[in-house]
Each structure stands twice: as C-alpha cells, then as structure tokens.
Amino acid sequence: MRRKLAVLAGRGPLPAEVIGAARTDGRDVFVLAFEGETDPAIVQDVPHAWLPLGAIGRALETLHAVGAEDVVMIGPVRRPSLSNLRLDFRGMQLLARLGLRGRGDDRLFKAIVDELEGEGFRVLGADDLVGCLLAPEGVITRAAPDASARADIALGVEVAARLGELDVGQAVVVQNGLVLGVEAVEGTDRLLARCAELRRDSPGGVLVKLKKPSQERRADLPTIGPKTVEAAEAAGLKGIAVHADNCLIVERSQMVERADRLGLFVVGVPGRP
Amino acid sequence: MRRKLAVLAGRGPLPAEVIGAARTDGRDVFVLAFEGETDPAIVQDVPHAWLPLGAIGRALETLHAVGAEDVVMIGPVRRPSLSNLRLDFRGMQLLARLGLRGRGDDRLFKAIVDELEGEGFRVLGADDLVGCLLAPEGVITRAAPDASARADIALGVEVAARLGELDVGQAVVVQNGLVLGVEAVEGTDRLLARCAELRRDSPGGVLVKLKKPSQERRADLPTIGPKTVEAAEAAGLKGIAVHADNCLIVERSQMVERADRLGLFVVGVPGRP
C-alpha cells in the first residue's frame, strides 16, 4: 500500500501534472486547494478541501483527518498581504515566530516545511513524484544559443547567482552584455514585459533563471513553461537558460513545441561553479 | 585669467546649477547642448552650440574652436538607440573601438573621458565646480531613519554594492527586510513606480542609491532631487539613503523642503566597507 499523498496546490497547471502523475502511479491523492489560488478545474475529480492560505491550523487538521502521510507543495502562491491572509490561531503563531521581517520567501517556505515535518508528515519535492519536471542539462529545443547568447548566459548566471546569494530574485535578462533587468518580487512575467520596452535596437537577449542557494527545493523551485517562452519571444529574446536539475518545466512538450515554432532556444545550464 | 570651461549638458536641471556656479565663480562658460536632451531654457543666456549626441568629431572641433580648456559633463542622457545616435565619422570610430557589446554605461563614459583627455582637455567632475552638489554623510532632513529603516538601509547597501560590482545598477528598494525591486537599465523613476504596486501592507521601505565602483565620477554619478523624494513618497517609502560623497543632489534646498513637508528622511551613508 502506497503512502497517502496530500498535494498542497498553488496556482497554474503544475499541480494538475503532479496529481495526474501520482494517481497514474497508483497513489491515493488528496488535494488541499487554496481560495483565490488553486485553479478549481484541477480538483474536480479528486478528493479535496478548500481553505484560505492563512488557515494553517485547519490545514494541518485536515491533513491528519484524511490520513495523509506524504505532502507535496506545488505551484506558486501570491505572497498575500496580511489582511488577505485570514490567519487562524496556528497561522498567527507561525507568523509571530517568523516575525514580520521576511527576507525573501525562503524563510517562510522553510518554516512551513518544518511545521509539516513537526506534525509527522514527510515533505516531498514535486520532482520526487514527477522526475521529468526538472530541467535537464543541455539544449532541449531545435535552436541552440550562439556565441553571443552564450556570453549573455554566462553574465546572466553570474548576476543571478550573486542576487540569489542575497535571496533577492531568480531571474535576469541580458542583451549583448547589458543587464536589461533584474527580478526581485515582481516575478518573471513583469520582468520580461519591462525588458520588452528597455531592449536595445540590436538583436539578441536571453532570460536566465536560477535557483537561489537558500531556496527550499521542496516548496518552491524556479519554473518555466510555454507562457515563459511566449513572453521571452515578445521581449525580443533569443532564448532561455535555466538552472539544470534545479528548475521545473511545466507543460514541457507544449513549451518545446512553442519554442521550436518561434525559433527560441531553451537550455539547461549549471549554476555558478 | 580662469581657464575657459565647456559644459556638456545632459537632461534635467543639474547643468543649469553647474553653469550658474561656474559663472558666479567668474568663469567664461560655453555650453555644448545635445538635441533632444538638453533643456533649451538653460542655454538661452549662455554661448552655446547644439549637436546630435553622436557627432563626436564636431563636438571636439567645437570645443577647440571656442578655446575650451576644462570640460565638465553633467546631467543624464538617454542611452540612445543606434538609429537615433546620428554618428559622425569620429563617433563611428569611437563606437567601433568600444565594440557594440557594452556592459553597462561605465565603459562608454570612460571612453568619452579618454577621448576628451586625448585631445588635451582637462575633464572635471561637476563636484569639482559645485562642492555642495555632493550628498554629505548623515541625515539632511528633519525626519531620520528609525531602527527598521536602518536595517533596510543596511540590506539595501549590501545588495546595491553587489550589483554595482557587476555594473548592473545603482538603486534598490527594500521594505522590512524584503528587496522589492532592483534597478538595471530602467532607471530609478520606473523602479519606484513598480515598487509602489509591489509593496506589502505594512508601513516602511527605503530607496538606497550607491555609486558603482567602476562608475566614472567625472561623467556620471547617481543623482537624486525633489522628484526622487516625490516618487519615493508615492511608493510609500519612509526615506532615501544615498552614497555620501558619491551621489549628486539636484535642487537640494527644494528637495529637503519637499522631504520635510512629506515627512521623509534623506541620509548620506558610506558604501559597503
């Protein structure tokens, strides 16, 4: 008998991929869906419960009640404002322990993992359940980076790695040696939209996305997918370099198909040595 | 007889301050104004010539023709696209020598300083002419940073210093330990506008602006002024920390008056030790 799995489902299509893979694998799956975050379509056919993000106590009770043994957190959640969080007592305790000063998301995610492990659950990474979600090393598209793109990738890796050490952000856009934009809390979509306006006349440009060293890989990994490819193309970029084995790819076949149609490359690269 | 001064005037009100101070000082001043950049109002009463940004050869000829001995570059220029640059032959030579791959603006400004010195001109910094333009160390407003703001400033200095080492940008916005935004080529105004939307419910937040280590101080220093204070207030920030002795303040008295009216602090801080 496989251990019962609870999926804490954030936004976007990744939770559906994890749920599907776990069920195909013969697992008994329960989904904890978050109000205003989880896509209702993905829980239709699966035992599930809806909770506000801040209802930590009720979430833990629910996980115990359904007999979950393994837990996986998958899909991003919007970092909520305090007033939207609707904290229950356990949530308030957790937040009080964390303090209001959060340096990036990493401490928060670590605290949630600790909380779950303290209750006896085993916390898995999405990639423990669906191996093919992780970006491999090397080029996965028909197009490949040329010398100019490789130089931009090298600079982007250097900048992203330094930013990551400071828990600032994961993504950087570089065009012909010029760092056009750096991501902090705004997210990759807004970074790419801004860089579409900031880019120089000349062709070229890459998006580089790395895992931060302190990032809790079971709660939160950098992610790309078909939409990232489209946004990169709209920003005039030649391609995307992601942290091999440390970055999730959502809807990989659609993403590669989209990239091939648009002539963009996607390449998995090692982080900074 | 004081050496004749040529002012290469970029955008905004700083060139007028430098021109006024130099003339009060009894200097003979000639202004090189750049089409689409320099504010026409500031050259009305001063001997001047208008040129496109890329007319490097004509600019040097003009400086020789008017007998300039000292040269100061002051006020930002938009990093132009190649098609708007309207390069003359000398401009093309300079650009070819630089190569099209520019890592930030620093190499470009250094090349221009070298070019001017190679022609026998002495290149001054704006602060050589107007000492009070440089931000002093310490608080210059009625409001002062509290403990929370001081912690945010320390983190902002750390992040800005690392970014500066990579010639990425000068400015960072931090709110209660969270890095809301990081500047690359978009400029401080757009950084602040973005952070107005990204800020968390809780109060607080600071803008930190440092000189990059490689930044050519005679061509390009970080700058703040009354508009920066207004944009910081609109973004919900408590104040601004700038690199003491390495950052220009434009319209200082108006800026302090504005900050005092809005309750913001402005403080000069040392860079990273």
Side-chain angles (χ1 to χ4, degrees), chain B residues 11-34:
Chain B
R11 307 171 76 83
L14 266 178
E17 294 195 37
V18 170
I19 294 164
R23 296 176 99 188
T24 304
D25 204 29
R27 276 189 178 246
D28 192 3
V29 175
F30 178 85
V31 180
L32 212 56
F34 297 104

Side-chain angles (χ1 to χ4, degrees), chain B residues 15 17-18 21 30 32 55 61 64 75 78 99 102 127 130 132 134 161 180 182 206 213 221 242 244 252 257 267:
Chain B
E17 294 195 37
V18 170
F30 178 85
L32 212 56
E61 280 162 30
H64 284 303
R78 277 175 297 205
D127 51 304
V130 201
C132 65
L134 281 182
L180 285 185
V182 167
V206 299
L221 282 178
V242 291
R252 176 163 165 175
E257 179 270 322
V267 58

Side-chain angles (χ1 to χ4, degrees), chain A residues 17-65:
Chain A
E17 294 195 35
V18 170
I19 293 164
R23 295 176 100 189
T24 304
D25 203 31
R27 276 192 177 244
D28 191 2
V29 175
F30 178 85
V31 180
L32 212 55
F34 297 103
E35 292 165 8
E37 303 290 331
T38 314
D39 176 359
I42 71 168
V43 295
Q44 267 178 348
D45 313 326
V46 199
H48 66 276
W50 285 94
L51 287 177
L53 263 185
I56 310 284
R58 281 173 60 203
L60 293 169
E61 280 162 30
T62 306
L63 295 179
H64 284 303

Side-chain angles (χ1 to χ4, degrees), chain B residues 3 11-13 22 30 46 54 82-83 88 103 108 119 130 135 148 156 179 190 209 228 231 236 267:
Chain B
R3 293 162 61 92
R11 307 171 76 83
F30 178 85
V46 201
L82 264 181
S83 47
D88 63 9
R103 281 185 68 155
L108 176 64
E119 292 281 325
V130 201
S148 167
V179 178
R190 292 192 60 167
K209 208 164 174 182
T228 322
V267 58

Side-chain angles (χ1 to χ4, degrees), chain A residues 103 106 152-174 179 181-183 207-215 222 241-243 246 269-273, chain B residues 103 158-159 162-163 165-166 168 182 272:
Chain A
R103 281 184 68 155
D106 298 351
D152 283 348
I153 290 169
L155 175 57
V157 166
E158 198 183 334
V159 174
R162 296 250 205 141
L163 285 168
E165 285 166 16
L166 297 163
D167 191 11
V168 170
Q170 311 169 333
V172 174
V173 175
V174 184
V179 178
V182 167
E183 177 186 328
L207 167 70
V208 177
K209 206 163 176 184
L210 297 189
K211 176 182 170 294
K212 299 179 278 186
S214 58
Q215 208 163 339
V242 291
H243 203 162
N246 288 279
V269 297
R272 202 164 53 152
Chain B
R103 281 185 68 155
E158 198 183 334
V159 174
R162 296 248 205 143
L163 285 169
E165 285 166 15
L166 297 163
V168 171
V182 167
R272 204 164 52 152

